[in-house]
Amino acid sequence: MAQVEDGFRDFAVACGGPLFRSAWWLTGDWHLAEDLVQETLGKMYRRWRGPESVDNPMAYAHTVLVRTYLAHRRRRSSAESPAGNMPDSPIDDGDVTLRMTLMAGLNQLHPRDRAVLVLRYWEDRSVDDTATVLGISAGAVKSRSFRALQRLRELLRADLGDLSALQ
Amino acid sequence: MSDFDERLAQAMRKAAAPSPPHIDELVSGGIARGVRMRRRHRWRMAGGVAALGAATGGAALIAPPLLGGGDDDTTRSPGVMSAPPGALLTEDSVVATVRELLPEGEVVDVRSGTESGPGVEAGTVIWFEFTFDDGAGAGFLQGSVAHRDDAQLECPPTNAGGSDIDASGDVDESEVTDDPDVTDTPAAGEEAGGDEGGADTASCEKDVLDDGTELLVTAGEYYPKPEIEPDRLLWNATASLPNGLVVVLGQVNAPTEKDSEVSRPEPPLSADEMAAVVTSDRWVEFDVEIPEG
């Protein structure tokens, strides 16, 4: 039992950071991201039989994360995300203004659209991978991605300026 | 749009998402949740029989554990000696007795453990799981033995499947909606529907034997949602014995609970064979006090 837990802890420590960053893009909120990661790790722990029990534990964990996020959003019956929440822990890297701009736009997208963009453009997943994670067709990923990009571009242009100006 | 997606990816990189400052706390919190999830799952299987009877659907009546916490044991021979009369109920004696009561076949990947659970006398549930192959395809068997004087076995109000609700009333929808092994597939471009669903093939039969033993046998699909792996079956037999022991045996027609292909049309044991295991006189021979795990 202790060996099982030790093995899982090593895995969780290794994947906790990447999971948290994806969770943060999905939720836009530090505490919700922590909660989402802990829920994900809990579900992984419950199934854990060792790293060899899953082909790619890291990818599996990301899939659990995204599906948990979407299930949570669906149960809440709300597409509204906490707006503009910034972490209460310091972030000393990256472009803060750009981060706030992007988050403000992402917060206004439908959760599934947001998940598509995070998977495609943050996690750099292919259309097929994204489709697998979300359990939808590749065509649905493409159409959602197109629609979400269009919406995000309008939001950023209308309210916060063209994204290209921030590069 | 072609440039915008590239610019978005670059902007996300440049913006950089934060890193969690206390990764150890994050991980410890996740493990703590996982431990609670395991406990709830096993408790549904072993101790929450009465509440489950009224609360949940047939196929999900008693969900087997996804992950055991006990030690692996793949070395025991099929012919393990069962415990002598009056012996204590322990992980070893429970597993040995179940194996003694099974039809001829190969038993591998034995796991077992003890868990505490509310409402269980002596506070302990002994659970087990293993793969059993009678030569016609491997099946996953799991079960538990607990001591409860207040067990009430009830068939669910309908035989349709439903949400997986544990004895404490918590809805564990994760098995249905968040599991990467399960494709929760909405129509292309559409949102997923609700989590409700139901396997209308589930059945439940309750019987009271001459010695007062209550017996509940259920059969249905593993997943409450009929569109998900309808060929994956979960059959359960639960007996509430006169000595206060509640014995549960569940089976899936695949070598593992999940993450495996269905290996046979039905689980290895028939309903009668399952009933024979959980109502066996062998259980009455035990000292019903289950040592604390």
Side-chain angles (χ1 to χ4, degrees):
Chain A
M1 183 69 175
Q3 283 183 334
V4 171
E5 182 164 321
D6 288 346
F8 181 81
R9 185 174 288 277
D10 291 343
F11 159 76
V13 167
C15 74
L19 284 176
F20 179 84
R21 284 185 279 275
S22 289
W24 190 77
W25 282 117
L26 287 170
T27 63
D29 180 271
W30 184 271
H31 297 295
L32 288 178
E34 283 188 326
D35 187 58
L36 180 55
V37 172
Q38 290 196 346
E39 189 70 9
T40 298
L41 292 177
K43 289 176 178 177
M44 290 292 292
Y45 181 84
R46 182 171 171 242
R47 299 180 62 93
W48 189 255
R49 291 176 185 271
E52 70 283 353
S53 62
V54 180
D55 283 344
N56 185 340
M58 183 80 83
Y60 194 92
H62 277 265
T63 300
V64 173
L65 180 96
V66 173
R67 291 192 178 190
T68 301
Y69 160 73
L70 291 174
H72 173 75
R73 299 302 304 165
R74 199 158 59 228
R75 283 196 287 270
R76 292 279 295 268
S77 299
S78 168
E80 294 180 8
S81 299
N85 285 352
M86 290 302 293
D88 56 7
S89 297
I91 299 173
D92 54 8
D93 53 356
D95 185 326
V96 174
T97 303
L98 179 57
R99 187 182 303 129
M100 292 178 66
T101 300
L102 288 171
M103 198 56 81
L106 290 170
N107 282 342
Q108 296 183 62
L109 298 182
H110 188 281
R112 196 173 283 268
D113 289 347
R114 182 177 191 155
V116 167
L117 294 189
V118 170
L119 288 167
R120 293 279 288 119
Y121 302 112
W122 172 251
E123 296 195 5
D124 200 25
R125 290 182 184 251
S126 68
V127 168
D128 287 342
D129 277 354
T130 301
T132 300
V133 170
L134 296 175
I136 60 179
S137 68
V141 169
K142 289 177 184 174
S143 62
R144 277 195 174 273
S145 181
F146 180 83
R147 196 164 60 229
L149 285 170
Q150 196 171 36
R151 171 75 173 141
L152 187 63
R153 185 165 63 176
E154 290 168 1
L155 289 167
L156 296 179
R157 180 179 292 147
D159 300 332
L160 300 162
D162 194 326
L163 187 61
S164 62
L166 297 167
Q167 287 187 308
Chain B
M1 193 65 66
S2 58
D3 291 341
F4 185 76
D5 55 359
E6 292 175 12
R7 292 206 301 274
L8 174 61
Q10 291 169 3
M12 293 177 92
R13 296 277 172 275
K14 186 178 178 184
S19 298
H22 306 297
I23 193 73
D24 286 340
E25 291 179 16
L26 197 65
V27 169
S28 295
I31 290 176
R33 289 192 194 195
V35 169
R36 287 196 296 273
M37 289 177 192
R38 279 188 192 178
R39 187 169 294 142
R40 282 205 305 268
H41 196 66
R42 292 197 184 112
W43 172 239
R44 276 201 303 274
M45 167 183 90
V49 175
L52 280 166
T56 188
L61 179 65
I62 302 167
L66 287 169
L67 180 66
D71 297 326
D72 286 341
D73 180 0
T74 58
T75 59
R76 290 186 178 120
S77 67
V80 169
M81 292 291 291
S82 60
L88 289 176
L89 276 166
T90 64
E91 291 175 38
D92 285 344
S93 63
V94 165
V95 169
T97 301
V98 172
R99 292 174 67 163
E100 173 196 346
L101 297 170
L102 291 176
E104 188 172 346
E106 183 183 15
V107 173
V108 296
D109 295 336
V110 179
R111 296 161 62 86
S112 62
T114 58
E115 292 277 348
S116 60
V120 176
E121 201 154 299
T124 304
V125 176
I126 296 174
W127 60 267
F128 60 87
E129 64 180 33
F130 51 78
T131 301
F132 175 70
D133 191 344
D134 60 1
F140 179 75
L141 270 64
Q142 55 75 39
S144 63
V145 178
H147 184 204
R148 299 190 55 164
D149 286 330
D150 59 345
Q152 296 175 15
L153 308 186
E154 298 291 345
C155 281
T158 71
N159 283 339
S163 296
D164 193 0
I165 302 172
D166 71 15
S168 64
D170 293 337
V171 177
D172 187 357
E173 293 165 303
S174 61
E175 290 174 35
V176 177
T177 58
D178 310 336
D179 189 334
D181 296 335
V182 177
T183 305
D184 184 13
T185 309
E190 298 299 323
E191 297 309 312
D195 293 324
E196 298 78 13
D200 58 9
T201 57
S203 67
C204 177
E205 291 187 16
K206 182 183 176 183
D207 199 3
V208 180
L209 308 186
D210 291 341
D211 66 353
T213 295
E214 289 188 41
L215 172 65
L216 199 69
V217 178
T218 65
E221 296 169 5
Y222 181 86
Y223 290 106
K225 296 180 91 171
E227 67 271 27
I228 300 173
E229 283 197 79
D231 295 334
R232 196 176 202 86
L233 305 178
L234 171 63
W235 293 4
N236 281 290
T238 304
S240 177
L241 305 174
N243 64 353
L245 286 183
V246 176
V247 183
V248 180
L249 180 68
Q251 339 173 60
V252 178
N253 57 335
T256 58
E257 184 193 28
K258 294 182 179 179
D259 308 321
S260 62
E261 295 293 322
V262 166
S263 57
R264 50 191 298 150
E266 294 183 342
L269 277 65
S270 68
D272 287 345
E273 288 173 325
M274 281 199 305
V277 171
V278 298
T279 61
S280 169
D281 288 342
R282 295 287 297 109
W283 300 114
V284 182
E285 297 170 3
F286 280 100
D287 183 334
V288 297
E289 293 299 326
I290 299 176
E292 290 285 350

